[in-house]
């Protein structure tokens, strides 16, 4: 493959990641609505730990487990932020 072909594939994957991130965020907003109705906190450290543990266990590289956890920490943090905005914004 040429550099341009590899970059095209990266661009395609980036677009797919963007779609997946937004789909995940939409689901997080739904969870936020349910939590709000049940008067549950947005932050669920046990759930987050399960996500990080599962993603590390499923990781086959080349990214190491710490890199995967850092990436998912960011994704989960943004999901939590959206849940908080939705919870506060609908009062």
């Amino acid at each position: 493959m040429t550099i341009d072909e590899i970059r095209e594939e990266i661009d395609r994957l980036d677009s797919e990641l963007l779609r997946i991130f937004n789909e995940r965020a939409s689901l997080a907003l739904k969870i936020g609505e349910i939590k709000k109705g049940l008067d549950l906190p947005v932050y669920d450290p046990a759930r987050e730990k399960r996500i990080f543990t599962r993603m590390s266990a499923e990781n086959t590289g080349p990214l190491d487990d710490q890199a995967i956890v850092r990436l998912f920490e960011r994704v989960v943090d943004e999901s939590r932020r959206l849940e908080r905005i939705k919870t506060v914004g609908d009062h």
Side-chain angles (χ1 to χ4, degrees):
M1 289 182 91
T2 68
I3 288 176
D4 286 341
E5 290 170 332
I6 294 169
R7 286 181 176 158
E8 284 177 18
E9 182 67 8
I10 288 172
D11 290 347
R12 186 191 66 75
L13 289 171
D14 287 346
S15 294
E16 186 175 341
L17 284 169
L18 179 61
R19 181 192 60 75
I20 291 168
F21 287 150
N22 282 306
E23 183 177 344
R24 190 186 192 287
S26 293
L27 293 171
L29 288 172
K30 289 179 183 180
I31 287 173
E33 284 296 311
I34 294 168
K35 285 180 177 180
K36 180 181 174 184
L38 296 173
D39 201 30
L40 294 173
V42 169
Y43 181 54
D44 183 351
R47 166 69 178 151
E48 292 184 14
K49 183 174 175 140
R50 287 191 305 272
I51 291 169
F52 305 146
T53 299
R54 184 172 61 88
M55 292 297 92
S56 293
E58 291 181 17
N59 181 33
T60 59
L63 290 171
D64 63 34
D65 289 350
Q66 294 81 14
I68 294 301
V69 168
R70 284 191 304 272
L71 287 167
F72 274 89
E73 283 173 339
R74 198 73 215 127
V75 169
V76 169
D77 183 54
E78 288 303 318
S79 294
R80 194 179 332 114
R81 185 183 68 81
L82 281 174
E83 285 182 46
R84 284 192 178 113
I85 289 169
K86 185 68 174 172
T87 300
V88 171
D90 286 353
H91 278 42

